[in-house]
Amino acid sequence: MRAAVVKANRELVIENIETPQIENAEDVLVKVKFSGVCGSDIPRIFHEGTHFYPIVLGHEFSGFVAETGSKATEFKIGDQVICAPLLPCFECEECKKGFYSLCKNYTFVGSRRNGANAEYVCVNKHNLVKVNAKSNPLYNSFIEPITVGLHAINLANGCENKNVIIVGAGTIGLLAAQAAKALGAETVSVIDINQEKLDLAEELGVDKTFNSMNLSAEQIYEQLNDNRFDQLILETAGVPKTVELAIQIAGPRAQIGLIGTLHHDLTLNQKVFGQILRKELMVLGSWMNYSKPWPGSEWTKAAELVDKGSIKIDQLILSVNDIEDYIDAVKKLDGKPMNGKIVLKFD
Protein backbone atom coordinates (compact mmCIF):
# COMPACT_ATOMS: atom_id res chain seq x y z
CA MET A 1 0.00 0.00 0.00
CA ARG A 2 1.03 3.63 -0.45
CA ALA A 3 1.91 5.68 2.61
CA ALA A 4 3.34 9.07 3.53
CA VAL A 5 6.37 8.10 5.61
CA VAL A 6 8.56 10.32 7.79
CA LYS A 7 11.88 8.57 7.18
CA ALA A 8 14.02 11.08 9.06
CA ASN A 9 13.77 14.65 10.29
CA ARG A 10 12.39 16.85 7.46
CA GLU A 11 12.22 13.81 5.17
CA LEU A 12 8.60 13.08 4.22
CA VAL A 13 8.28 10.66 1.29
CA ILE A 14 5.83 8.35 -0.47
CA GLU A 15 6.63 4.68 -0.01
CA ASN A 16 5.01 1.38 -0.83
CA ILE A 17 4.89 -0.46 2.49
CA GLU A 18 3.29 -3.69 3.60
CA THR A 19 -0.46 -3.52 4.23
CA PRO A 20 -1.06 -4.18 7.95
CA GLN A 21 -2.74 -7.44 8.89
CA ILE A 22 -5.15 -8.51 11.62
CA GLU A 23 -2.88 -10.00 14.29
CA ASN A 24 -4.98 -9.61 17.43
CA ALA A 25 -8.58 -10.68 18.01
CA GLU A 26 -9.51 -7.06 18.85
CA ASP A 27 -7.86 -5.62 15.73
CA VAL A 28 -9.78 -3.78 13.04
CA LEU A 29 -8.39 -3.04 9.59
CA VAL A 30 -9.60 0.33 8.29
CA LYS A 31 -9.49 1.59 4.73
CA VAL A 32 -8.56 5.25 5.22
CA LYS A 33 -10.60 7.90 3.42
CA PHE A 34 -9.35 11.22 4.88
CA SER A 35 -6.49 12.01 7.28
CA GLY A 36 -5.81 15.52 8.55
CA VAL A 37 -2.54 17.14 9.60
CA CYS A 38 -2.57 18.07 13.28
CA GLY A 39 -0.54 21.00 14.58
CA SER A 40 1.33 18.45 16.71
CA ASP A 41 2.45 16.70 13.51
CA ILE A 42 4.52 19.70 12.42
CA PRO A 43 7.26 19.23 15.05
CA ARG A 44 7.15 15.49 14.38
CA ILE A 45 8.00 16.10 10.73
CA PHE A 46 10.29 19.12 10.95
CA HIS A 47 11.69 19.39 14.49
CA GLU A 48 12.78 15.87 15.44
CA GLY A 49 9.60 15.37 17.43
CA THR A 50 8.93 11.70 16.65
CA HIS A 51 9.45 8.75 18.96
CA PHE A 52 11.16 6.79 16.18
CA TYR A 53 11.91 6.71 12.45
CA PRO A 54 10.52 5.72 10.04
CA ILE A 55 6.93 6.47 11.08
CA VAL A 56 3.55 6.92 9.40
CA LEU A 57 1.75 9.79 11.10
CA GLY A 58 -2.00 10.50 11.06
CA HIS A 59 -4.40 10.42 14.00
CA GLU A 60 -7.27 12.64 12.73
CA PHE A 61 -8.89 10.29 10.25
CA SER A 62 -12.06 8.77 8.90
CA GLY A 63 -12.46 5.57 6.96
CA PHE A 64 -14.38 2.33 6.49
CA VAL A 65 -13.97 -1.03 8.16
CA ALA A 66 -12.29 -3.50 5.79
CA GLU A 67 -11.75 -6.48 8.13
CA THR A 68 -12.28 -7.33 11.79
CA GLY A 69 -10.74 -9.64 14.34
CA SER A 70 -12.83 -12.28 16.07
CA LYS A 71 -13.34 -10.12 19.19
CA ALA A 72 -14.20 -6.92 17.32
CA THR A 73 -17.80 -7.92 16.70
CA GLU A 74 -19.03 -4.36 17.44
CA PHE A 75 -17.92 -3.50 13.90
CA LYS A 76 -18.82 -4.93 10.53
CA ILE A 77 -17.26 -4.52 7.11
CA GLY A 78 -18.31 -1.22 5.55
CA ASP A 79 -18.97 0.65 8.81
CA GLN A 80 -17.82 4.26 8.68
CA VAL A 81 -15.48 4.99 11.60
CA ILE A 82 -13.33 7.73 13.04
CA CYS A 83 -10.33 7.45 15.32
CA ALA A 84 -9.97 8.01 19.05
CA PRO A 85 -6.17 7.76 18.78
CA LEU A 86 -5.28 7.18 22.44
CA LEU A 87 -5.21 3.57 23.64
CA PRO A 88 -4.99 3.62 27.43
CA CYS A 89 -4.09 0.56 29.46
CA PHE A 90 -7.52 0.49 31.21
CA GLU A 91 -5.74 -1.06 34.21
CA CYS A 92 -3.96 1.75 36.09
CA GLU A 93 -5.68 3.73 38.86
CA GLU A 94 -6.16 6.72 36.56
CA CYS A 95 -7.92 4.56 33.98
CA LYS A 96 -10.08 2.88 36.62
CA LYS A 97 -11.32 6.33 37.62
CA GLY A 98 -12.03 7.18 33.99
CA PHE A 99 -9.11 9.63 33.74
CA TYR A 100 -7.98 8.04 30.48
CA SER A 101 -6.14 11.15 29.27
CA LEU A 102 -3.86 10.77 32.31
CA CYS A 103 -2.90 7.13 31.69
CA LYS A 104 0.88 6.66 31.88
CA ASN A 105 0.89 3.32 30.05
CA TYR A 106 -0.82 4.35 26.84
CA THR A 107 -0.02 4.00 23.19
CA PHE A 108 -1.14 6.45 20.50
CA VAL A 109 -2.06 5.98 16.85
CA GLY A 110 0.10 8.12 14.56
CA SER A 111 2.65 8.95 17.25
CA ARG A 112 3.75 5.92 19.26
CA ARG A 113 2.72 3.55 16.48
CA ASN A 114 1.96 3.94 12.77
CA GLY A 115 -1.07 6.00 11.88
CA ALA A 116 -3.48 6.71 9.05
CA ASN A 117 -1.39 8.54 6.46
CA ALA A 118 -1.63 5.35 4.45
CA GLU A 119 -4.25 3.48 2.47
CA TYR A 120 -4.93 1.16 5.42
CA VAL A 121 -4.37 1.26 9.15
CA CYS A 122 -4.88 -1.56 11.66
CA VAL A 123 -5.93 -0.49 15.16
CA ASN A 124 -7.52 -1.88 18.30
CA LYS A 125 -11.31 -1.75 18.33
CA HIS A 126 -11.15 0.70 21.25
CA ASN A 127 -9.49 3.24 18.93
CA LEU A 128 -12.56 3.43 16.71
CA VAL A 129 -15.89 5.20 16.99
CA LYS A 130 -18.69 4.24 14.62
CA VAL A 131 -20.42 7.19 12.95
CA ASN A 132 -23.49 7.64 10.80
CA ALA A 133 -22.97 5.66 7.60
CA LYS A 134 -24.43 8.50 5.52
CA SER A 135 -22.39 11.29 7.12
CA ASN A 136 -19.61 13.14 5.29
CA PRO A 137 -16.27 11.35 5.83
CA LEU A 138 -14.30 14.54 5.09
CA TYR A 139 -16.12 16.40 7.85
CA ASN A 140 -15.83 13.36 10.15
CA SER A 141 -12.04 13.60 9.97
CA PHE A 142 -12.46 16.81 12.01
CA ILE A 143 -14.23 15.08 14.90
CA GLU A 144 -10.99 14.40 16.81
CA PRO A 145 -9.91 18.08 16.94
CA ILE A 146 -13.48 19.10 17.86
CA THR A 147 -13.31 16.83 20.90
CA VAL A 148 -10.27 18.73 22.20
CA GLY A 149 -12.36 21.84 22.86
CA LEU A 150 -15.31 19.80 24.09
CA HIS A 151 -13.12 18.12 26.70
CA ALA A 152 -12.18 21.50 28.18
CA ILE A 153 -15.83 22.59 28.08
CA ASN A 154 -16.80 19.41 29.93
CA LEU A 155 -14.12 20.03 32.58
CA ALA A 156 -15.69 23.47 33.10
CA ASN A 157 -19.09 21.82 33.59
CA GLY A 158 -20.39 23.03 30.26
CA CYS A 159 -20.76 26.37 28.56
CA GLU A 160 -24.51 26.92 28.47
CA ASN A 161 -25.42 30.54 29.32
CA LYS A 162 -21.74 31.40 29.78
CA ASN A 163 -19.77 34.09 27.98
CA VAL A 164 -17.15 32.05 26.16
CA ILE A 165 -13.90 33.68 25.04
CA ILE A 166 -11.53 31.81 22.74
CA VAL A 167 -7.91 32.99 22.79
CA GLY A 168 -6.33 31.81 19.55
CA ALA A 169 -8.18 31.49 16.23
CA GLY A 170 -6.44 28.41 14.88
CA THR A 171 -8.37 25.31 13.88
CA ILE A 172 -8.85 24.10 17.47
CA GLY A 173 -9.99 27.56 18.57
CA LEU A 174 -12.47 28.05 15.73
CA LEU A 175 -13.89 24.57 16.18
CA ALA A 176 -14.27 25.22 19.93
CA ALA A 177 -15.94 28.58 19.25
CA GLN A 178 -18.52 26.95 16.99
CA ALA A 179 -19.10 24.09 19.44
CA ALA A 180 -19.67 26.56 22.29
CA LYS A 181 -22.17 28.46 20.18
CA ALA A 182 -24.03 25.25 19.34
CA LEU A 183 -24.05 24.17 22.98
CA GLY A 184 -25.85 27.27 24.23
CA ALA A 185 -23.18 29.80 25.17
CA GLU A 186 -24.64 33.24 25.87
CA THR A 187 -21.92 34.90 23.80
CA VAL A 188 -18.80 33.69 22.00
CA SER A 189 -15.82 35.97 21.43
CA VAL A 190 -12.50 35.23 19.71
CA ILE A 191 -9.12 36.91 20.22
CA ASP A 192 -6.15 36.66 17.86
CA ILE A 193 -3.44 38.80 16.24
CA ASN A 194 -4.34 37.70 12.69
CA GLN A 195 -7.17 39.78 11.23
CA GLU A 196 -7.89 37.23 8.49
CA LYS A 197 -8.54 34.59 11.14
CA LEU A 198 -10.76 37.00 13.05
CA ASP A 199 -12.72 37.76 9.88
CA LEU A 200 -13.18 34.01 9.43
CA ALA A 201 -14.37 33.71 13.04
CA GLU A 202 -17.06 36.30 12.30
CA GLU A 203 -18.02 34.40 9.16
CA LEU A 204 -18.41 31.30 11.30
CA GLY A 205 -20.88 33.11 13.56
CA VAL A 206 -19.06 34.34 16.67
CA ASP A 207 -20.46 37.41 18.40
CA LYS A 208 -17.30 39.50 18.88
CA THR A 209 -13.68 39.47 17.77
CA PHE A 210 -10.67 41.33 19.19
CA ASN A 211 -7.31 41.89 17.53
CA SER A 212 -4.79 41.80 20.37
CA MET A 213 -2.15 43.23 18.07
CA ASN A 214 -4.10 46.49 18.04
CA LEU A 215 -5.80 46.36 21.43
CA SER A 216 -4.23 46.12 24.87
CA ALA A 217 -5.44 43.60 27.43
CA GLU A 218 -7.00 46.49 29.35
CA GLN A 219 -8.92 47.65 26.28
CA ILE A 220 -10.21 44.15 25.58
CA TYR A 221 -11.25 43.78 29.21
CA GLU A 222 -13.17 47.06 29.01
CA GLN A 223 -14.92 46.03 25.81
CA LEU A 224 -15.93 42.75 27.46
CA ASN A 225 -17.31 44.67 30.44
CA ASP A 226 -20.99 43.97 29.71
CA ASN A 227 -20.22 40.23 29.62
CA ARG A 228 -17.63 40.08 32.37
CA PHE A 229 -19.49 37.56 34.55
CA ASP A 230 -19.95 33.83 33.96
CA GLN A 231 -16.97 33.69 31.64
CA LEU A 232 -15.30 30.59 30.27
CA ILE A 233 -11.99 31.47 28.61
CA LEU A 234 -10.34 28.79 26.46
CA GLU A 235 -6.67 29.40 25.67
CA THR A 236 -5.88 27.42 22.52
CA ALA A 237 -2.78 29.14 21.10
CA GLY A 238 -0.20 27.63 23.47
CA VAL A 239 1.92 30.79 23.67
CA PRO A 240 3.11 32.33 26.96
CA LYS A 241 1.77 35.75 25.96
CA THR A 242 -1.73 34.39 25.28
CA VAL A 243 -1.84 32.57 28.62
CA GLU A 244 -0.98 35.87 30.27
CA LEU A 245 -3.61 37.62 28.16
CA ALA A 246 -6.27 35.12 29.24
CA ILE A 247 -5.63 36.05 32.87
CA GLN A 248 -5.61 39.78 32.16
CA ILE A 249 -8.91 39.86 30.27
CA ALA A 250 -10.74 37.54 32.66
CA GLY A 251 -13.73 38.84 34.58
CA PRO A 252 -14.62 38.07 38.22
CA ARG A 253 -14.52 34.35 39.03
CA ALA A 254 -13.94 33.41 35.40
CA GLN A 255 -12.94 29.90 34.41
CA ILE A 256 -9.78 29.64 32.31
CA GLY A 257 -9.30 26.39 30.41
CA LEU A 258 -5.72 25.91 29.22
CA ILE A 259 -5.71 23.80 26.06
CA GLY A 260 -2.69 24.98 24.06
CA THR A 261 0.63 23.23 24.67
CA LEU A 262 3.47 25.62 25.53
CA HIS A 263 6.84 25.21 23.80
CA HIS A 264 8.49 28.07 25.73
CA ASP A 265 8.70 28.90 29.43
CA LEU A 266 5.90 30.92 30.97
CA THR A 267 6.83 33.65 33.44
CA LEU A 268 4.10 35.68 35.13
CA ASN A 269 5.01 38.90 36.86
CA GLN A 270 3.69 39.66 40.32
CA LYS A 271 0.85 41.84 39.05
CA VAL A 272 -0.49 39.33 36.55
CA PHE A 273 -0.24 36.43 38.99
CA GLY A 274 -2.04 38.56 41.54
CA GLN A 275 -5.03 38.81 39.22
CA ILE A 276 -5.61 35.06 39.58
CA LEU A 277 -6.04 35.64 43.30
CA ARG A 278 -7.79 39.01 43.26
CA LYS A 279 -10.36 37.93 40.66
CA GLU A 280 -10.68 34.45 42.21
CA LEU A 281 -10.09 32.78 38.86
CA MET A 282 -10.45 29.05 38.33
CA VAL A 283 -7.65 27.70 36.14
CA LEU A 284 -8.28 24.33 34.49
CA GLY A 285 -5.71 22.24 32.69
CA SER A 286 -7.14 20.26 29.80
CA TRP A 287 -5.16 17.37 28.34
CA MET A 288 -6.34 15.44 25.29
CA ASN A 289 -10.02 14.56 24.93
CA TYR A 290 -11.30 11.49 26.77
CA SER A 291 -13.71 10.69 29.60
CA LYS A 292 -15.86 7.83 30.84
CA PRO A 293 -17.52 5.76 29.54
CA TRP A 294 -14.72 5.31 27.00
CA PRO A 295 -13.98 7.27 24.88
CA GLY A 296 -16.36 9.82 26.38
CA SER A 297 -19.28 12.10 25.63
CA GLU A 298 -16.91 14.43 23.78
CA TRP A 299 -16.89 11.95 20.89
CA THR A 300 -20.61 11.32 20.60
CA LYS A 301 -21.35 15.03 20.93
CA ALA A 302 -18.74 16.01 18.31
CA ALA A 303 -20.12 13.45 15.87
CA GLU A 304 -23.63 14.76 16.51
CA LEU A 305 -22.61 18.40 15.93
CA VAL A 306 -20.88 17.49 12.67
CA ASP A 307 -23.76 15.34 11.47
CA LYS A 308 -26.27 18.11 12.18
CA GLY A 309 -24.16 20.70 10.35
CA SER A 310 -23.77 22.75 13.55
CA ILE A 311 -20.06 23.23 12.82
CA LYS A 312 -18.86 24.67 9.53
CA ILE A 313 -15.88 22.72 8.24
CA ASP A 314 -15.26 23.85 4.67
CA GLN A 315 -13.91 27.27 5.67
CA LEU A 316 -11.27 25.61 7.88
CA ILE A 317 -9.76 23.47 5.10
CA LEU A 318 -6.64 24.75 3.38
CA SER A 319 -6.47 21.88 0.88
CA VAL A 320 -7.60 18.30 0.26
CA ASN A 321 -4.89 16.40 -1.58
CA ASP A 322 -3.98 13.08 -3.07
CA ILE A 323 -0.76 11.71 -1.67
CA GLU A 324 1.61 13.41 -4.15
CA ASP A 325 0.10 16.86 -3.62
CA TYR A 326 -0.14 16.20 0.11
CA ILE A 327 3.61 15.68 0.35
CA ASP A 328 4.21 18.95 -1.52
CA ALA A 329 1.71 20.88 0.63
CA VAL A 330 3.26 19.69 3.88
CA LYS A 331 6.82 20.34 2.72
CA LYS A 332 5.88 23.92 1.85
CA LEU A 333 5.07 24.53 5.52
CA ASP A 334 8.80 24.19 6.24
CA GLY A 335 8.03 23.70 9.92
CA LYS A 336 5.69 26.68 10.24
CA PRO A 337 2.07 26.43 11.48
CA MET A 338 -0.74 25.77 9.02
CA ASN A 339 -3.23 28.46 8.08
CA GLY A 340 -6.06 25.98 7.70
CA LYS A 341 -6.19 22.19 7.69
CA ILE A 342 -4.24 20.14 5.15
CA VAL A 343 -6.08 16.88 4.47
CA LEU A 344 -4.79 13.71 2.79
CA LYS A 345 -7.38 11.75 0.79
CA PHE A 346 -7.41 8.20 -0.52
CA ASP A 347 -9.87 7.17 -3.23
Side-chain angles (χ1 to χ4, degrees):
M1 68 174 183
R2 303 180 86 197
V5 180
V6 184
K7 293 195 70 173
N9 191 53
R10 303 181 71 88
E11 188 178 349
L12 179 64
V13 299
I14 301 171
E15 284 195 348
N16 284 307
I17 64 174
E18 186 176 347
T19 302
Q21 303 295 313
I22 298 287
E23 296 180 354
N24 184 290
E26 292 190 345
D27 282 348
V28 178
L29 183 67
V30 178
K31 182 175 177 59
V32 178
K33 182 64 177 176
F34 294 102
S35 181
V37 177
C38 177
S40 65
D41 290 331
I42 305 303
R44 292 180 181 127
I45 297 168
F46 293 98
H47 307 305
E48 299 182 337
T50 67
H51 292 283
F52 55 87
Y53 297 108
I55 186 169
V56 178
L57 302 177
H59 63 268
E60 301 178 3
F61 73 86
S62 65
F64 297 88
V65 173
E67 187 181 347
T68 63
S70 60
K71 292 184 179 179
T73 55
E74 303 93 324
F75 299 95
K76 64 180 185 298
I77 294 172
D79 282 344
Q80 187 180 169
V81 291
I82 54 98
C83 181
L86 180 78
L87 185 61
C89 70
F90 296 111
E91 298 294 334
C92 67
E93 291 303 312
E94 284 81 0
C95 283
K96 288 178 181 178
K97 290 181 178 294
F99 303 156
Y100 302 113
S101 294
L102 309 185
C103 176
K104 300 298 188 295
N105 307 309
Y106 68 91
T107 187
F108 199 93
V109 174
S111 168
R112 295 172 182 264
R113 49 149 300 173
N114 279 346
N117 290 348
E119 293 179 273
Y120 291 88
V121 63
C122 189
V123 298
N124 186 282
K125 67 179 184 178
H126 294 293
N127 286 122
L128 297 178
V129 178
K130 194 183 303 184
V131 294
N132 183 347
K134 296 181 179 180
S135 59
N136 188 323
L138 174 58
Y139 295 170
N140 289 337
S141 67
F142 280 73
I143 287 175
E144 194 276 343
I146 293 170
T147 63
V148 173
L150 290 180
H151 185 63
I153 289 171
N154 285 355
L155 290 172
N157 296 316
C159 63
E160 188 173 2
N161 298 321
K162 293 180 182 179
N163 295 301
V164 176
I165 303 165
I166 308 294
V167 183
T171 300
I172 295 293
L174 293 177
L175 289 171
Q178 293 185 78
K181 194 77 174 175
L183 294 174
E186 181 71 20
T187 63
V188 177
S189 302
V190 173
I191 301 172
D192 203 279
I193 60 173
N194 185 319
Q195 190 57 47
E196 288 185 9
K197 291 182 178 181
L198 294 174
D199 293 342
L200 175 57
E202 292 182 359
E203 182 182 337
L204 295 173
V206 307
D207 298 292
K208 296 180 180 180
T209 60
F210 301 93
N211 191 322
S212 55
M213 182 69 76
N214 304 327
L215 296 170
S216 67
E218 292 76 14
Q219 289 172 317
I220 295 173
Y221 178 83
E222 287 300 321
Q223 292 188 39
L224 288 168
N225 191 55
D226 290 341
N227 305 114
R228 68 185 183 278
F229 295 103
D230 300 313
Q231 286 182 348
L232 170 58
I233 301 169
L234 299 180
E235 195 289 318
T236 67
V239 178
K241 188 173 182 63
T242 53
V243 175
E244 183 176 339
L245 179 65
I247 296 168
Q248 292 172 312
I249 62 155
R253 294 201 168 188
Q255 297 171 296
I256 299 177
L258 301 178
I259 298 175
T261 301
L262 292 181
H263 298 287
H264 301 282
D265 290 343
L266 169 66
T267 302
L268 299 178
N269 65 40
Q270 177 182 339
K271 183 177 179 181
V272 173
F273 177 80
Q275 291 187 47
I276 299 174
L277 311 183
R278 291 177 179 273
K279 292 189 282 190
E280 296 190 341
L281 304 181
M282 180 180 293
V283 180
L284 301 168
S286 183
W287 185 244
M288 293 197 278
N289 37 358
Y290 305 92
S291 60
K292 62 180 181 181
W294 173 263
S297 62
E298 298 92 332
W299 295 83
T300 52
K301 179 56 67 175
E304 176 188 321
L305 292 175
V306 170
D307 205 23
K308 286 182 176 179
S310 300
I311 295 182
K312 299 174 183 176
I313 302 293
D314 289 330
Q315 294 93 323
L316 303 179
I317 298 174
L318 178 62
S319 61
V320 179
N321 316 271
D322 59 24
I323 194 166
E324 289 85 1
D325 292 338
Y326 169 84
I327 297 290
D328 291 340
V330 174
K331 284 183 175 180
K332 286 178 182 177
L333 294 173
D334 196 31
K336 300 180 179 65
M338 294 175 290
N339 188 18
K341 182 74 71 176
I342 296 172
V343 181
L344 170 61
K345 69 174 180 180
F346 292 99
D347 294 324

